[in-house]
Amino acid sequence: MGKDVIIACDFASAAQTFAFLDRFTQERPFVKIGMELFYAEGSAIVRTIKARGHKIFLDLKLHDIPNTVKKAMAVLSSLDVDICNLHAAGGLDMMRAAAEGLTRPDGSRPLLIAVTQLTSIDQQRMENELLIRRPLEEVVLQYAANAKAAGLDGVVCSPLEASRIHEACGKDFLTVTPGIRFAEGASGDQKRVTTPARAKELGSDYIVVGRPITGAADPAAAYRRCVNDFID
Ligand code: C5P
């Protein structure tokens, strides 16, 4: 898979999601389904969106003991999604077990990527609450290296971390980056934001864009603007 724009479909119901997707008459964007929509609508929403021709990043961020994650990933692999994820904090054995569980009988599997540190965790919280007393960037790079060692395909990270991660883990190790805004847009709760064009310069492989597209008066036009700035 090459560079792409993934739309974060952070909606509460299937009805809202389809009302949104129906506004794309010419293209079938790559979409991200997160916990809210998945827990509200179950696996049927994944199958229906897939049947409509979209690629899917199923953003459920699994984190449990290796055996449990392996079995859960086996269930997710039957949904035929394109990208799944988990928390690198679950450790190497959990990540290896996840990749095994996700692998279908024919040897294929969706891409599997790891969350390193959530962007809601800053240096102070990491030190005071999690008792990890190392620079945040070092922790992110170590978790990315662990994900690579476990055979994963990449990480979710800030575009600002993408080049360091590519340097450490190789250019084929995927960086999937949220925190994207148009230069003139509101940043909302995202602290460190980057434009699609800047994410391209920084070497992101996939950008995840939510509100700048879902909240736009013309979502298809906002999506095309992202594609133009990031890919073309
Ligand atoms: O609306 P916005 O563009 O901020 O949406 C970004 C999406 O990426 C949301 O679904 C959010 O949960 C997700 N995300 C993030 N930061 C991370 C991991 C995921 O913003 N570190």
Side-chain angles (χ1 to χ4, degrees):
M1 287 207 265
K3 304 236 170 193
D4 213 343
V5 174
I6 302 177
I7 303 178
C9 284
D10 293 323
F11 298 111
S13 69
Q16 284 173 26
T17 307
F18 293 130
F20 171 74
L21 292 177
D22 283 345
R23 302 189 65 178
F24 292 83
T25 51
Q26 289 162 36
E27 56 274 282
R28 289 283 172 274
F30 205 134
V31 301
K32 179 169 91 68
I33 299 175
M35 289 186 220
E36 182 187 14
L37 188 56
F38 189 80
Y39 292 149
E41 300 288 352
S43 53
I45 186 84
V46 176
R47 294 184 204 282
T48 310
I49 293 178
K50 191 80 197 179
R52 289 170 65 133
H54 298 269
K55 286 184 177 168
I56 296 178
F57 169 16
L58 189 56
D59 180 17
L60 298 182
K61 300 187 179 70
L62 276 65
H63 187 175
D64 207 317
I65 59 171
N67 187 54
T68 302
V69 170
K70 179 177 174 176
K71 289 182 172 170
M73 284 293 184
V75 175
L76 299 184
S77 84
S78 72
L79 294 178
D80 194 26
V81 298
D82 299 278
I83 305 180
C84 285
N85 66 354
L86 45 62
H87 275 283
L92 273 163
D93 283 351
M94 187 202 77
M95 289 194 274
R96 286 194 191 100
E100 238 175 84
L102 205 54
T103 304
R104 304 182 187 105
D106 68 0
S108 69
R109 68 161 171 77
L111 294 171
L112 180 57
I113 62 176
V115 176
T116 55
Q117 281 289 350
L118 292 169
T119 41
S120 50
I121 299 290
D122 59 14
Q123 183 71 41
Q124 201 183 357
R125 277 182 200 278
M126 197 178 67
E127 289 186 17
N128 297 343
E129 297 174 21
L130 308 180
L131 301 186
I132 301 173
R133 298 199 169 103
R134 306 290 281 259
L136 184 59
E137 189 186 77
E138 188 185 323
V139 175
V140 167
L141 286 172
Q142 176 65 35
Y143 283 17
N146 288 349
K148 182 167 168 131
L152 269 58
D153 304 292
V155 289
V156 182
C157 64
S158 156
L160 304 164
E161 295 159 354
S163 63
R164 288 293 310 274
I165 288 171
H166 280 138
E167 270 166 35
C169 299
K171 68 172 174 40
D172 295 333
F173 193 69
L174 300 173
T175 53
V176 179
T177 66
I180 304 295
R181 292 292 179 268
F182 294 122
E184 74 284 6
S187 62
D189 54 357
Q190 295 282 14
K191 300 279 181 263
R192 295 190 303 156
V193 299
T194 306
T195 62
R198 182 76 184 124
K200 177 184 183 177
E201 285 167 15
L202 291 167
S204 295
D205 295 293
Y206 294 86
I207 52 172
V208 176
V209 189
R211 287 160 291 183
I213 296 175
T214 57
D218 183 345
Y223 169 74
R224 279 195 292 274
R225 183 174 168 195
C226 287
V227 170
N228 287 339
D229 291 356
F230 182 64
I231 306 174
D232 299 340

